[in-house]
Amino acid sequence: MTKFDIVVIGAGASGIGAGLAAAQNGAKVALLEKGAKFGGAGKFGAQGLFAAESAKQKVANVNYTVKDAYEEIINYTHHSSNARMTKAIVTKSASTIDWLKENGLDTELVTNTQEVHQNHPRTYHQFIDKFNGFDRVMNNFKKAGGVLLTETTGNKIIQENGRVTGVEVVQNNQTSILATKAVILADGGFVGNRQEIAQSLAIDPDDLYSMGERKATGDGLRMLQEVGGINNYKRIFENHAATVFSASNPKWHNDTIFTLTCLPFLWIDKEGKRFTNEDLVYDFALWGDTVYANGGYYYFLLDQALVDYLKTASLNWTSSFERTFRLLDGQPMTHKVGPFAEIESDLQEAVQEKAAYKADTILELADKMNVDAKVLQQNVARYNELVTKHDDTDFYKDSSFMSISVAKAPFYAVRANSTTLGTVGGGLVNENFEALNASRKVIPGVYAVGNNASGMFDSSYPTIEGLSNAFAWNSGRIAGEKASEFVRE
């Protein structure tokens, strides 16, 4: 039987953070990865992470303290966060930026990636040479004595007399036991498990577009429950923007339709009503939350006058994702969208994919959208009235966006669906990320981190840029350090 001090299940950001911290603290660590490649969403999705009081922020004269971050998070969750955990994460965040650099994954402090956050102190530390950087971090893990086991799935925590003694793993369809004193569950939540999603979701699963890690199927949360832990404490979805997709063709993507989705046109819910201030499109978390809260999808409406205009001209608006992509490419902002010479064929393609509808009247459009025709007519008329006044007295959208009516046939309705980056929570833990039972007593040697851990977030993806990935790295690092101390006792 192979013996380790600590087995980390999951090799995404939180798992790598845990494994590296533990190995560099003298523990013999096995890091398990279900797939063939390590890194998870932290490598293949995220582009950076949050910090407060980092050296890079101090050089740039960014005055954003641990106290500022702590209070912003606590107030955002209405004090329903674990205060000790929140303080631990933000306190650790600056040193983690230095620690990652020391281990080969450097970052640069950039402007916040969303337009609405430009006046917020800069917190986003964007990765430099990300993929090679992750390789260097893994090499340092191995240099510290760590062992990476790919295509290896953690299946069961083995205990004797209430203490962890091993982990049952499956590799190449073969089951074996890794002897260990501690287990860190870091396999990314349950976004890849449709049954688990359906039990936790407040909308129809068919209306949810997942950008999360498909390998994250809830194995760690299941194992946590099997050893007496709590695995359903504040399970939340990282609601993030909205997406137009084809139900029959998952690989379908159209750049024009994607860009149009990222603009504050008229939005209509499944009742046929306008339901929000559409310039929420500039805050990905709030945009995602309002879609989720209003049933899982909405339609944005265009008319032929706008389509004709965009064939040859630009709008002096900003695509909500432009800054994100421009920062990655190192290019300046344009603050323009269009022209789209093929916009009519692009819209027709969306119609063919059943992601949009086209109609000659609002009544016909309502029928295709399956909404009440009278309600839709009233809401379109009301919106056009507000556009004429350039004053949104209903939901207070910025007047600069109150310039496009929906009046000239034919009309288009494009369906934008609720989107998630993954799931967060389920595992009840303390500020050291030690698993707790129903009596809130520590389960010795069992830890849950990253998307498996509840406590810092309440009901929403955080609006502070980079905080979700920082939670992964820092929770893993904290757990790795604490577990390495535990196994030496």
Side-chain angles (χ1 to χ4, degrees), residues 305-322:
L306 177 61
V307 171
D308 290 340
Y309 176 85
L310 286 174
K311 289 177 186 177
T312 58
S314 299
L315 283 175
N316 293 321
W317 291 5
T318 305
S319 168
S320 59
F321 276 95
E322 182 184 10

Side-chain angles (χ1 to χ4, degrees), residues 210-475:
S210 174
M211 298 171 64
E213 175 58 69
R214 290 188 296 273
K215 299 191 302 294
T217 54
D219 300 339
L221 292 174
R222 171 184 55 78
M223 286 184 274
L224 181 61
Q225 183 184 47
E226 290 170 351
V227 295
I230 304 299
N231 76 344
N232 60 356
Y233 183 77
K234 288 189 177 180
R235 291 186 173 195
I236 67 171
F237 291 83
E238 289 186 290
N239 301 321
H240 183 86
T243 302
V244 178
F245 67 81
S246 167
S248 60
N249 181 8
K251 293 185 178 180
W252 178 73
H253 175 81
N254 183 292
D255 286 339
T256 299
I257 301 301
F258 174 83
T259 302
L260 294 174
T261 309
C262 298
L263 298 170
F265 297 125
L266 168 60
W267 294 356
I268 296 294
D269 66 14
K270 59 177 63 179
E271 295 182 71
K273 299 176 182 177
R274 184 178 180 221
F275 61 97
T276 193
N277 169 357
E278 294 92 349
D279 62 29
L280 284 178
V281 75
Y282 293 110
D283 187 305
F284 302 153
L286 301 184
W287 178 12
D289 284 346
T290 197
V291 181
Y292 187 82
N294 283 278
Y297 68 85
Y298 65 91
Y299 294 95
F300 62 89
L301 269 54
L302 314 172
D303 75 349
Q304 191 61 40
L306 177 61
V307 171
D308 290 340
Y309 176 85
L310 286 174
K311 289 177 186 177
T312 58
S314 299
L315 283 175
N316 293 321
W317 291 5
T318 305
S319 168
S320 59
F321 276 95
E322 182 184 10
R323 187 173 294 274
T324 302
F325 296 142
R326 293 279 172 168
L327 283 170
L328 290 172
D329 294 339
Q331 299 296 316
M333 293 286 292
T334 67
H335 298 291
K336 291 181 181 294
V337 291
F340 304 108
E342 306 299 323
I343 186 171
E344 278 191 302
S345 60
D346 290 328
L347 284 165
Q348 185 57 39
E349 184 180 294
V351 171
Q352 291 170 349
E353 294 293 341
K354 298 182 179 179
Y357 300 112
K358 180 181 179 181
D360 292 326
T361 67
I362 295 297
L363 285 174
E364 182 187 353
L365 192 66
D367 182 62
K368 292 183 176 182
M369 293 166 60
N370 192 29
V371 301
D372 185 285
K374 183 177 180 180
V375 171
L376 182 61
Q377 281 184 315
Q378 290 173 340
N379 276 263
V380 171
R382 172 60 176 169
Y383 187 76
N384 289 341
E385 177 187 327
L386 296 174
V387 167
T388 300
K389 297 177 180 178
H390 294 284
D391 186 11
D392 180 13
T393 54
D394 287 353
F395 295 109
Y396 312 108
K397 180 159 66 177
D398 190 291
S399 60
S400 63
F401 302 120
M402 296 302 294
S403 58
I404 298 175
S405 60
V406 181
K408 181 180 179 181
F411 305 101
Y412 300 86
V414 184
R415 177 167 157 160
N417 302 271
S418 192
T419 304
T420 185
L421 295 180
T423 62
V424 178
L428 180 62
V429 295
N430 63 18
E431 70 273 18
N432 295 326
F433 296 92
E434 296 169 294
L436 304 178
N437 62 23
S439 300
R440 298 209 174 213
K441 302 297 183 183
V442 169
I443 302 171
V446 181
Y447 302 78
V449 297
N451 285 359
N452 282 340
S454 292
M456 187 165 169
F457 307 137
D458 177 41
S459 61
S460 173
Y461 180 67
T463 59
I464 302 175
E465 295 204 1
L467 186 58
S468 183
N469 198 29
F471 180 71
W473 280 105
N474 286 287
S475 63

Side-chain angles (χ1 to χ4, degrees), residues 72-129:
E72 185 172 355
I73 295 165
I74 286 289
N75 290 332
Y76 182 80
T77 66
H78 304 288
H79 286 257
S80 63
S81 298
N82 181 320
R84 288 184 176 275
M85 178 187 292
T86 302
K87 180 69 179 297
I89 292 291
V90 297
T91 300
K92 197 81 166 175
S93 64
S95 69
T96 293
I97 298 296
D98 295 334
W99 180 69
L100 288 173
K101 180 179 180 180
E102 291 165 4
N103 283 285
L105 182 55
D106 200 3
T107 59
E108 58 182 337
L109 182 66
V110 296
T111 66
N112 294 328
T113 67
Q114 300 174 47
E115 288 308 292
V116 74
H117 298 163
Q118 295 310 297
N119 292 327
H120 187 283
R122 287 185 287 163
T123 65
Y124 200 71
H125 295 67
Q126 183 171 275
F127 293 131
I128 299 171
D129 192 23

